[in-house]
Amino acid sequence: MGTPVLELDNVNTYYGKIHALKGVSLTVERGEVVTLIGSNGAGKTTTLRTISGLLRPKQGDIKLNGSSIITVSPHKVVEMGIGHVPEGRGVFPALTVLENLEMGAFLLRNNAEFERRIDLVFSLFPRLQERMTQRGGTLSGGEQQMLAIGRALMQQPDILLLDEPSMGLAPLLVEEIFNIIRNLNSEHGTTILLVEQNAQAALQVANRAYVLETGRITMSGTAQELLHDSKVIEAYLGF
């Protein structure tokens, strides 16, 4: 095994006096889809926000491609290769689809590379190409999720952090989003850390998984192992 793309070692994050992450350690290897499952309030979003530099851990270390990023500002974390698709999508409602995608490529100075990346996004999301001049705020929930993922891909990140991509979507759209995640990984080699409440769908698309409960990793293993684990089935899969 080479150097993991992402490595969390004993990460402790607080909101004021509330101890939100309690010694979280996990790794994501290049080319993997790793999912973090857990109930509401377990600390999944906090984990991603800590990785992105939006929250600072009080203890522990986070490494991206072997370099510590715990003191790096959020915009530098983006430059270093982390693409974060936040919970709630966070598209710019007043900007067009194309302008939203351009915001994802704000670090890019090469027109040919910009065209290559936008072609990739439009090949993954033909609907975005159809709605190129439409304002982000007028898109459906599913289209906004596609736009948020597309915007992050414009950075060409080393790792894509996806926070609850299926939240609030109709079942058919959920299936479409998970097919896109699978395609991003299998066809384009995108490394992904996926936070998702739909544990069954997440485990079906992931290579490995971690279970987070009240700020602690309580289980880890291959996605298939967890998919058939009686505790996981009882707590998260509902059958």
Side-chain angles (χ1 to χ4, degrees):
M1 285 291 214
T3 303
V5 175
L6 183 69
E7 202 171 359
L8 275 66
D9 181 23
N10 192 35
V11 169
N12 288 264
T13 300
Y14 290 75
Y15 286 105
K17 291 184 178 174
I18 297 165
H19 196 175
L21 298 184
K22 303 163 184 168
V24 169
S25 296
L26 61 84
T27 59
V28 184
E29 301 285 343
R30 191 165 303 283
E32 275 194 311
V33 178
V34 172
T35 187
L36 193 56
I37 61 173
S39 55
N40 263 340
K44 303 186 304 295
T45 292
T46 302
T47 301
L48 296 194
R49 287 173 62 82
T50 304
I51 294 165
S52 285
L54 299 168
L55 294 169
R56 291 270 174 243
K58 282 203 174 171
Q59 287 167 283
D61 199 8
I62 301 170
K63 288 181 178 171
L64 179 66
N65 295 317
S67 299
S68 178
I69 57 170
I70 56 163
T71 59
V72 176
S73 60
H75 74 278
K76 285 284 183 193
V77 168
V78 170
E79 284 182 37
M80 289 175 73
I82 285 182
H84 188 170
V85 181
E87 184 182 3
R89 302 169 193 121
V91 303
F92 298 104
L95 300 184
T96 66
V97 165
L98 184 58
E99 287 165 343
N100 266 276
L101 293 174
E102 286 170 348
M103 291 296 281
F106 72 98
L107 295 168
L108 199 58
R109 299 287 175 265
N110 181 317
N111 283 342
E113 181 60 19
F114 175 82
E115 293 300 331
R116 194 190 67 73
R117 291 186 195 180
I118 208 138
D119 285 349
L120 168 65
V121 170
F122 286 155
S123 73
L124 286 164
F125 307 109
R127 221 172 305 176
L128 294 183
Q129 189 165 14
E130 292 164 17
R131 288 160 175 64
M132 202 160 47
T133 58
Q134 205 171 313
R135 290 182 191 271
T138 65
L139 300 176
S140 71
E143 289 161 353
Q144 286 190 13
Q145 188 62 66
M146 292 172 195
L147 181 54
I149 295 171
R151 186 180 60 199
L153 289 174
M154 290 297 290
Q155 299 163 219
Q156 211 165 33
D158 281 346
I159 183 167
L160 190 61
L161 311 182
L162 294 177
D163 195 353
E164 302 284 6
S166 77
M167 185 184 273
L169 300 184
L172 270 176
L173 275 173
V174 171
E175 195 176 328
E176 189 174 346
I177 291 293
F178 277 100
N179 282 337
I180 287 161
I181 292 168
R182 194 178 280 112
N183 179 2
L184 271 174
N185 178 252
S186 62
E187 299 297 316
H188 302 280
T190 309
T191 305
I192 297 169
L193 178 58
L194 169 67
V195 156
E196 181 54 65
Q197 264 206 286
N198 185 338
Q200 188 170 2
L203 289 169
Q204 284 171 343
V205 83
N207 304 105
R208 291 188 303 111
Y210 294 87
V211 177
L212 192 63
E213 293 178 9
T214 57
R216 297 182 199 279
I217 301 281
T218 56
M219 290 179 74
S220 65
T222 69
Q224 285 305 306
E225 284 167 355
L226 267 63
L227 200 52
H228 297 102
D229 185 278
S230 57
K231 287 181 193 164
V232 174
I233 290 169
E234 189 181 340
Y236 303 107
L237 303 182
F239 58 83

